Amino acid sequence: MMPVATAQQTGPGPVREVDALPRRDDLDPVRLNRAKKAYTTRHLAARIDDDPSGYALLSGPGVVPQPGDVVLARVDEIGLHTKLESPVSRRQTLFPGDEVLIAYGHRYAPDQFEAEVPGDLRPLHLVAAGGLAGFVTAKHDDVDDPTVVRPVGLLADAEGIVTLQRSAPRRTGGRGPATGGRPRVIGVLGTSMNAGKSTTVNFLIRGLAQSGLRVSAGKATGTGAGSDPHGFLDAGAAEVLDFTDFGYATTFRLDHDRVRSIFVSLIEELSVPGTDVIVVEIADGLYQGETKRLLADPVFARHVDQVVFASSGALGAVAGVELLRRHELHVSAVSGVVTSAPLAVRETREVLDVPVVNTYELADPDVARALL
């Protein structure tokens, strides 16, 4: 498969129109209601539930999709993703012929796919169960081929192409720091995808909340899925947000200013009165492009008071702690997958001067509180 160069959508403000005259077909409200809607489109789906009328489909050679555009697509062939996460995170079984409402976006997942938004409405792939449409350019050897979907058309209304940002409940560059300062912020980062970051966040939230603190939590970067924010709520977080609440299905290939704005706005929005601690997860590994640039930006160290670092092994833990310290970040503990193996824990403790804490022990109120 050949990569296709694409342009980024530049902001939540003006509605984007297409360059050439497309075909515009009114969309039957019954048909729109019947389409299986993805988690990434959940804010739009709520509006459609209230009133499914007034929508149309744009198609034809003049239509060039952009990240965040909402598309009605037909499932052609079932591959890796056999289910689509619904707006309420129910796993909807997919069948060939199903019509789905999903969002265009680039995909970064070393354990699955690399994908990008194509320059036209060609057949493409469901590259994340949360509802991300992209054209796969590379995949891990151990995963199945992606599920193939065929765009019927971009969703449009009276104002133009429907995008996730237009229906998002939050905007970046919002209200500024909370009066009297913000709560303490703990960043959770890791060596890579599947290093145990989200599990670390969940158990850390649990321990802090059980100790009597009011905890807010968020995920600033990554690919949209309901498992993380729902997990934060289940663990005891009082307020939860992620980048999808600002209108982004994914942060992969967003320009740095946009990623920084999401990160800062997320912390600002979570700094509600009464909050004692904010726990923020940063997706993927320290060398992933968006994460690497965010860490190098002084704004990150100004907003994050300490880091809990999730690693899959001793060597990664040592390298990660060293890199974080070079960015003037205080690492209060190492956790994650590495703590699943007692031998790896022992090796890590022998070479690090920070606590190595078993992920599940973070749920202990005394253990979690001691990290502050």
Side-chain angles (χ1 to χ4, degrees), residues 288-311:
Q288 193 269 350
E290 287 72 42
T291 301
K292 183 179 180 179
R293 288 186 286 273
L294 188 58
L295 280 176
D297 192 322
V299 76
F300 190 84
R302 288 201 298 268
H303 283 78
V304 174
D305 300 295
Q306 63 192 90
V307 169
V308 175
F309 187 66
S311 176

Side-chain angles (χ1 to χ4, degrees), residues 105-189:
H106 307 302
R107 175 71 162 130
Y108 174 94
D111 289 358
Q112 291 187 11
F113 306 121
E114 181 181 13
E116 55 187 36
V117 177
D120 52 33
L121 293 181
R122 71 185 63 182
L124 71 170
H125 307 107
L126 180 65
V127 294
L132 197 65
F135 191 78
V136 169
T137 58
K139 79 176 187 71
H140 194 285
D141 288 345
D142 292 338
V143 302
D144 293 336
D145 289 339
T147 292
V148 179
V149 297
R150 184 179 300 272
V152 180
L154 295 186
L155 192 68
D157 59 14
E159 297 180 13
I161 294 171
V162 175
T163 68
L164 296 182
Q165 288 181 336
R166 284 179 54 200
S167 56
R170 308 279 179 158
R171 293 286 182 266
T172 56
R175 56 191 176 87
T179 304
R182 58 165 175 76
R184 188 167 193 82
V185 176
I186 302 174
V188 177
L189 297 96

Side-chain angles (χ1 to χ4, degrees), residues 179-226:
T179 304
R182 58 165 175 76
R184 188 167 193 82
V185 176
I186 302 174
V188 177
L189 297 96
T191 51
S192 64
M193 182 181 183
N194 295 327
K197 295 182 296 295
S198 296
T199 304
T200 296
V201 171
N202 288 341
F203 282 86
L204 180 58
I205 292 170
R206 183 65 175 177
L208 293 170
Q210 289 294 101
S211 76
L213 298 176
R214 182 180 176 88
V215 185
S216 293
K219 189 169 182 177
T221 63
T223 299

Side-chain angles (χ1 to χ4, degrees), residues 16 68 171 244 251 342 353:
R16 182 176 57 78
R171 293 286 182 266
T244 65
T251 56
D353 59 354

Side-chain angles (χ1 to χ4, degrees), residues 23-53:
R23 172 173 175 158
R24 183 184 177 102
D25 297 305
D26 291 338
L27 182 55
D28 183 352
V30 175
R31 182 182 181 186
L32 181 57
N33 267 332
R34 286 178 177 169
K36 292 178 177 176
K37 299 167 185 66
Y39 177 82
T40 55
T41 69
R42 68 190 185 282
H43 301 302
L44 170 64
R47 297 186 180 188
I48 292 173
D49 285 344
D50 289 338
D51 184 5
S53 63

Side-chain angles (χ1 to χ4, degrees), residues 48-105:
I48 292 173
D49 285 344
D50 289 338
D51 184 5
S53 63
Y55 291 95
L57 292 176
L58 300 184
S59 60
V63 179
V64 180
Q66 301 289 322
D69 288 352
V70 178
V71 60
L72 183 72
R74 183 174 296 110
V75 177
D76 272 2
E77 183 179 344
I78 303 297
L80 177 67
H81 291 106
T82 62
K83 299 177 186 298
L84 181 71
E85 185 178 6
S86 78
V88 295
S89 289
R90 187 180 75 81
R91 297 287 174 169
Q92 307 168 96
T93 301
L94 293 175
F95 297 90
D98 278 349
E99 289 191 334
V100 295
L101 202 65
I102 53 183
Y104 276 99

